Amino acid sequence: MFKLVVSDLDGTFLNNSGTFDVELFNQVYGEMKENNIAFVACTGKQCERVEELFDEHGKGIWILGDSVTRIKRDGVVVKEFTIERNLALQAISQIEAFAKDFIIIACTTEAAYVHSQIQEEYYKIVKGSYKEVLKIDSFDQINSNFLKITVYDPSGRSSILRKHIEKTLLDQIYIVDSEANWLDITALHTHKGETVRKLQEILGVTMDETMSFGDGENDVELMSIAKYSFAVKNACENTKNAASFITKSNEENGVLLTIKKMMDLQKH
């Protein structure tokens, strides 16, 4: 019997246009609430951007956002995991020294920060995942601890960049290249699997009572924290190999249709 559903958003729950079937979601989520099943959006997107995406339809959902450095529900931040400021700035310095054309997104609890010289086309890409975005001349101007550092690279060098940073900071941060164009740096041991485990503790839910969905390299951990783990049909091979089941693609409402089918099975 499952009580918790955890889903990645981009490429998994959201379609290729970055939206979802609102009517089907309302139907499925309504049934989930009737059966006391919690829904979790687990994503690299800023929590506030996720709230914006779901709008009034998302009341009561849990958000593991900002690359799972924050746990938030109905506007209230339940938990945060931060990188110490000097360590974050050291990582940014290494990124900038490696190449000047990376798009660096430095995130704090207040906002996501990008360099003031960012090109408009890349600023629009950033705004797709972040609601609060501020431009600054130097990341040294950020005076608080960081939630995470995300790097967007149009040239697809994230794997090479990860190996470069790991040479000096491997034991001090968690770093993952979820796609060729995207890399995330968070506090040590802060990743999807570990943050979901913390939420499971908060809710008193076990792995055997959890269902998970994912598509990317950084969703492999999601497959290990749930008895009912699903990779969508469009997922990468590593996630498919780690999952217990393969379901329909993100373009075919794979997540919602699977939840509905599993609830129907659970009734009987």
Side-chain angles (χ1 to χ4, degrees), residues 19-36:
T19 59
F20 62 96
D21 187 327
V22 173
E23 184 178 350
L24 180 59
F25 175 76
N26 286 340
Q27 177 189 344
V28 174
Y29 184 48
E31 189 175 340
M32 288 175 69
K33 288 189 286 187
E34 288 175 6
N35 289 279
N36 295 314

Side-chain angles (χ1 to χ4, degrees), residues 2-262:
F2 67 96
K3 299 178 181 177
L4 182 68
V5 176
V6 183
S7 179
D8 170 60
L9 291 187
D10 290 305
T12 303
F13 177 83
L14 299 176
N15 59 34
N16 294 339
S17 299
T19 59
F20 62 96
D21 187 327
V22 173
E23 184 178 350
L24 180 59
F25 175 76
N26 286 340
Q27 177 189 344
V28 174
Y29 184 48
E31 189 175 340
M32 288 175 69
K33 288 189 286 187
E34 288 175 6
N35 289 279
N36 295 314
I37 300 170
F39 181 77
V40 182
C42 187
T43 178
K45 291 184 183 296
Q46 191 180 54
C47 287
E48 291 73 22
R49 175 63 181 133
V50 179
E51 291 169 338
E52 191 175 53
L53 275 170
F54 281 90
D55 201 18
E56 76 271 13
H57 309 287
K59 183 174 175 55
I61 73 169
W62 290 85
I63 302 171
L64 273 51
D66 297 85
S67 297
V68 299
T69 60
R70 300 166 84 196
I71 300 176
K72 193 173 183 182
R73 186 172 187 250
D74 290 340
V76 178
V77 175
V78 177
K79 221 168 185 56
E80 289 184 337
F81 312 96
T82 61
I83 312 173
E84 192 272 325
R85 177 179 180 272
N86 288 336
L87 179 58
L89 291 176
Q90 186 181 346
I92 289 175
S93 177
Q94 290 198 17
I95 296 165
E96 292 177 328
F98 186 79
K100 297 295 184 185
D101 56 338
F102 290 129
I103 310 304
I104 299 173
I105 310 161
C107 300
T108 70
T109 56
E110 293 79 29
Y113 296 88
V114 294
H115 198 276
S116 56
Q117 299 302 312
I118 187 172
Q119 296 178 35
E120 186 61 28
E121 63 176 303
Y122 298 136
Y123 183 73
K124 288 179 180 178
I125 291 174
V126 174
K127 285 292 289 182
S129 293
Y130 301 87
K131 181 182 178 184
E132 307 293 341
V133 182
L134 300 176
K135 296 180 180 181
I136 53 176
D137 295 327
S138 170
F139 294 107
D140 290 339
Q141 294 175 239
I142 300 173
N143 294 315
S144 62
N145 287 340
F146 290 51
L147 287 171
K148 67 162 182 169
I149 300 159
T150 291
V151 181
Y152 174 66
D153 177 26
S155 301
R157 296 163 292 175
S158 66
S159 178
I160 300 171
L161 177 62
R162 173 179 56 78
K163 292 172 184 175
H164 169 74
I165 299 171
E166 284 178 342
K167 289 177 183 177
T168 54
L169 298 179
L170 178 61
D171 297 325
Q172 301 176 66
I173 57 174
Y174 178 78
I175 180 168
V176 60
D177 49 323
S178 55
E179 299 177 29
N181 303 104
W182 291 96
L183 177 142
D184 285 316
I185 296 171
T186 57
L188 194 63
H189 306 308
T190 301
H191 54 75
K192 288 188 174 184
E194 189 58 33
T195 302
V196 170
R197 275 189 280 272
K198 288 182 169 63
L199 180 61
Q200 286 171 326
E201 290 174 9
I202 291 170
L203 298 178
V205 173
T206 67
M207 173 184 167
D208 287 348
E209 298 169 323
T210 304
M211 187 188 308
S212 65
F213 296 87
D215 76 301
E217 294 288 349
N218 62 335
D219 293 324
V220 171
E221 294 103 337
L222 283 185
M223 303 299 103
S224 67
I225 51 79
K227 179 178 180 179
Y228 310 100
S229 58
F230 294 84
V232 287
K233 190 166 64 178
N234 54 290
C236 69
E237 287 306 309
N238 285 341
T239 299
K240 285 181 177 178
N241 291 336
S244 297
F245 309 97
I246 309 297
T247 189
K248 291 184 176 182
S249 73
N250 65 320
E251 285 287 278
E252 302 170 290
N253 286 322
V255 172
L256 291 174
L257 292 177
T258 300
I259 296 171
K260 180 168 174 47
K261 183 171 288 187
M262 291 292 285

